[in-house]
Amino acid sequence: MRDTHQNPILPVEYLFRLENFGHSFSCPVFLFRPTHAEQVFTLFEQARKNGFHIGLRGAGRSYGDAAINSGSVVIDFRRMNRIRDWNPESGVITVEPGVTIEQLWRYILEDGWWSPVMPGTMFPTIGGCLGANIHGKNNWKAGTLGEHVLEFTALLPDGSEVSCKPDKNKDLFYAIIGGMGLLGVFTSITLQMKKIYSGDLEVFAWAEPNLNRVLKATDETKDNDYIIGWVDCTAGGRGLGRGQMHSANYLKPGEDPYPAQSLNADNQDLPNTIFGLVPKSIVWQFMRLAMNNMGVRAGNTAKYLMNYTIGHKKRYLQSLIAFTFLLDYVPNWERAYGKGGLIQYQSFLPKETAYDVYTSMLKLCKRRRLPSYLGVVKRHRPDNFLLSHAVDGFSLAMDLKVTNRNRSRLLNLTQDLNRLVLEGGGRFYFAKDSTLTPDDAAAYLGKDTTEKFKKLKAKVDPDRILQTDLYRRCFR
Ligand SMILES: Cc1cc2nc3c(=O)[nH]c(=O)nc-3n(C[C@H](O)[C@H](O)[C@H](O)COP(=O)(O)OP(=O)(O)OC[C@H]3O[C@@H](n4cnc5c(N)ncnc54)[C@H](O)[C@@H]3O)c2cc1C
């Protein structure tokens, strides 16, 4: 591969410093922001001729290195963001890959539709969400976003275009979705939305005193539309894994007396201030002061005590946006982690091993004095996608602070955590990952899947044009 810095067709004007979402590393790339698929076709042509590789990027909301291609070309799809077709009768929508989740809900909500699968933030693009095949707080019930795709067209690195449905070019359908931008580029995506009758959800909140009860509660309340557990990973002893649970349900027809009001996008907007006073844009700077082991532990304890007393067993109506995108409440919250940023460590364990493995993981993090500052538990189900992350079980996502001093200790910790997850028959999620080695990735995916992926890659991308840092790290 030629050194792309010397490549005359990659002019220095396109040189750009990119970061991952967690701000834990950055690198120079040649950044292109096409408005039409023809420009992507031209870049593929140039890559084949001049021997450089290309990484695909949506909004760059993957925590690790999935949308970064150090020293080479990155295509950012956010200007390919047109809604091509919308049918408010059937709820079928066709979009370009750069349409964001925010654009989507603002467009369809007042017609009484909602995406059946939503991530915890509204800023990602649909192309990026399908690249990773995202799940929501309803994964055990609604599956992944890919399960709601009726059809997509993709541009392959050889310049050909392919149209895929669940029963047409099936192999590519189940591999490009979740394929982390390594097999082809989504150029047009048709999705089925979900009918809703109110812009509010009925939410039930309660506290659980330990991990066993959190997992049990997550499992036992599967008849709800959504369920999530917010876990205090700093607590130890009998309180290990304690947390607050939120379940939520859509309102049925007729239950919302003013659906036009609640389904109005303007009424869903998150407030710009806290308590009507403090601008939210500056809140992360105050949070930064408490982003250390002691500060987070004190904050979590206070929150848990509140949840266990005044917040226990509370039922209330909450807007879809506030419930779904809770993490967007504080803009740039990830900056509160300081200069070194954070990595997210999300592992997926079968229901049979989850309790034991997560207990060992939480204890290990505490012992090494590298506790997660936020923990999130979800319930999942398996799916048919090639690079699937899901299991019939649970996931625990942990946000780990990175500093110059703890970098190597953190690496050791995550290697040990990887071992525990693999021993428990668990899986990982490339959208969140920063730590897997090729052996770990092969162990989680299995030999057959890894071979199948590599074969498919050799077929559709023989020159290995589509690459990212994650690809080179996990599929060497
Ligand atoms: C606060 C926060 C909360 C989150 N909550 C969730 C959650 O609840 N559930 C969940 O599953 N994830 C969640 N995520 C992760 C996020 O949804 C995924 O990483 C998603 O892929 C980000 O989309 P993006 O547009 O930013 O894509 P990027 O991060 O830019 O890219 C993601 C992948 O898609 C590929 N890609 C991008 N565009 C295309 C294209 N046009 N064609 C083919 N491949 C492409 C990229 O190469 C990359 O591999 C969360 C992330 C954050 C920051």
Side-chain angles (χ1 to χ4, degrees), residues 326-343:
L326 188 69
L327 293 169
D328 293 341
Y329 251 96
V330 177
N332 300 318
W333 59 264
E334 77 282 2
R335 294 212 173 268
Y337 279 78
K339 276 202 187 112
L342 78 149
I343 58 169

Side-chain angles (χ1 to χ4, degrees), residues 237-284:
R238 287 193 303 172
L240 188 93
R242 68 189 179 186
Q244 192 186 29
M245 309 299 304
H246 286 159
S247 65
N249 287 299
Y250 298 112
L251 299 194
K252 295 186 186 68
E255 284 186 347
D256 181 348
Y258 305 107
Q261 201 74 15
S262 65
L263 289 166
N264 186 300
D266 295 341
N267 292 334
Q268 289 273 338
D269 274 328
L270 298 173
N272 289 324
T273 54
I274 289 183
F275 307 126
L277 285 172
V278 187
K280 284 204 313 196
S281 56
I282 60 166
V283 168
W284 68 267

Side-chain angles (χ1 to χ4, degrees), residues 175-249:
I176 296 180
I177 294 178
M180 301 309 294
L182 298 170
L183 299 172
V185 174
F186 298 111
T187 49
S188 172
I189 300 156
T190 302
L191 290 149
Q192 175 66 58
M193 296 291 107
K194 180 182 170 53
K195 186 73 193 152
I196 52 168
Y197 303 94
S198 170
D200 288 333
L201 291 168
E202 190 185 48
V203 179
F204 186 60
W206 74 104
E208 291 289 2
N210 56 46
L211 182 66
N212 191 27
R213 293 274 296 270
V214 165
L215 295 181
K216 257 205 170 119
T218 309
D219 210 32
E220 284 167 359
T221 52
K222 291 210 302 291
D223 52 334
N224 290 294
D225 290 320
Y226 296 98
I227 170 96
I228 186 160
W230 303 94
V231 174
D232 172 7
C233 299
T234 60
R238 287 193 303 172
L240 188 93
R242 68 189 179 186
Q244 192 186 29
M245 309 299 304
H246 286 159
S247 65
N249 287 299

Side-chain angles (χ1 to χ4, degrees), residues 52-335:
F52 58 82
H53 40 81
I54 294 176
L56 309 181
R57 186 175 175 94
R61 296 274 152 171
S62 292
Y63 279 74
D65 51 2
I68 282 183
N69 188 19
S70 297
S72 197
V73 168
V74 169
I75 304 180
D76 173 334
F77 286 97
R78 278 177 298 175
R79 292 205 299 163
M80 282 174 60
N81 63 356
R82 284 157 285 244
I83 292 174
R84 292 246 181 89
D85 195 36
W86 166 235
N87 183 336
E89 299 303 316
S90 64
V92 173
I93 193 161
T94 300
V95 299
E96 290 186 338
V99 166
T100 61
I101 294 288
E102 179 176 14
Q103 253 179 293
L104 180 71
W105 74 256
R106 284 191 190 281
Y107 200 82
I108 63 173
L109 190 69
E110 66 183 69
D111 291 331
W113 296 88
W114 179 248
S115 175
V117 174
M118 285 290 202
T121 170
M122 66 173 91
F123 303 117
T125 64
I126 309 284
C129 286
L130 285 175
N133 199 15
I134 60 146
H135 59 262
K137 301 175 184 67
N138 54 358
N139 184 241
W140 83 92
K141 196 169 198 171
T144 58
L145 187 61
E147 291 174 58
H148 304 274
V149 173
L150 302 177
E151 183 170 15
F152 68 77
T153 54
L155 188 62
L156 303 182
D158 65 5
S160 62
E161 195 175 60
V162 63
S163 155
C164 299
K165 294 182 184 186
D167 55 2
K168 178 182 170 196
N169 291 318
K170 202 170 159 185
D171 266 15
L172 287 178
F173 182 88
Y174 285 99
I176 296 180
I177 294 178
M180 301 309 294
L182 298 170
L183 299 172
V185 174
F186 298 111
T187 49
S188 172
I189 300 156
T190 302
L191 290 149
Q192 175 66 58
M193 296 291 107
K194 180 182 170 53
K195 186 73 193 152
I196 52 168
Y197 303 94
S198 170
D200 288 333
L201 291 168
E202 190 185 48
V203 179
F204 186 60
W206 74 104
E208 291 289 2
N210 56 46
L211 182 66
N212 191 27
R213 293 274 296 270
V214 165
L215 295 181
K216 257 205 170 119
T218 309
D219 210 32
E220 284 167 359
T221 52
K222 291 210 302 291
D223 52 334
N224 290 294
D225 290 320
Y226 296 98
I227 170 96
I228 186 160
W230 303 94
V231 174
D232 172 7
C233 299
T234 60
R238 287 193 303 172
L240 188 93
R242 68 189 179 186
Q244 192 186 29
M245 309 299 304
H246 286 159
S247 65
N249 287 299
Y250 298 112
L251 299 194
K252 295 186 186 68
E255 284 186 347
D256 181 348
Y258 305 107
Q261 201 74 15
S262 65
L263 289 166
N264 186 300
D266 295 341
N267 292 334
Q268 289 273 338
D269 274 328
L270 298 173
N272 289 324
T273 54
I274 289 183
F275 307 126
L277 285 172
V278 187
K280 284 204 313 196
S281 56
I282 60 166
V283 168
W284 68 267
Q285 299 181 46
F286 294 102
M287 282 169 62
R288 197 169 176 162
L289 302 174
M291 277 301 196
N292 51 61
N293 288 0
M294 251 173 62
V296 174
R297 184 155 189 200
N300 282 357
T301 304
K303 230 176 348 180
Y304 178 75
L305 290 175
M306 263 176 58
N307 294 336
Y308 211 78
T309 49
I310 51 175
H312 196 44
K313 297 195 178 172
K314 284 278 179 305
R315 202 174 287 281
Y316 51 91
L317 286 182
Q318 191 173 27
S319 74
L320 276 163
I321 298 309
F323 179 81
T324 310
F325 306 124
L326 188 69
L327 293 169
D328 293 341
Y329 251 96
V330 177
N332 300 318
W333 59 264
E334 77 282 2
R335 294 212 173 268

Side-chain angles (χ1 to χ4, degrees), residues 345 364 368 408-423 428 433-438 440 473:
Y345 188 91
L364 186 65
R368 305 259 178 105
S408 68
R409 281 196 304 127
L410 198 55
L411 186 68
N412 286 339
L413 172 73
T414 54
Q415 300 307 320
D416 292 340
L417 295 176
N418 289 351
R419 214 165 306 130
L420 287 172
V421 173
L422 289 171
E423 281 166 12
F428 299 96
D433 174 57
S434 306
T435 69
L436 294 183
T437 64
D440 293 335
R473 174 166 61 79

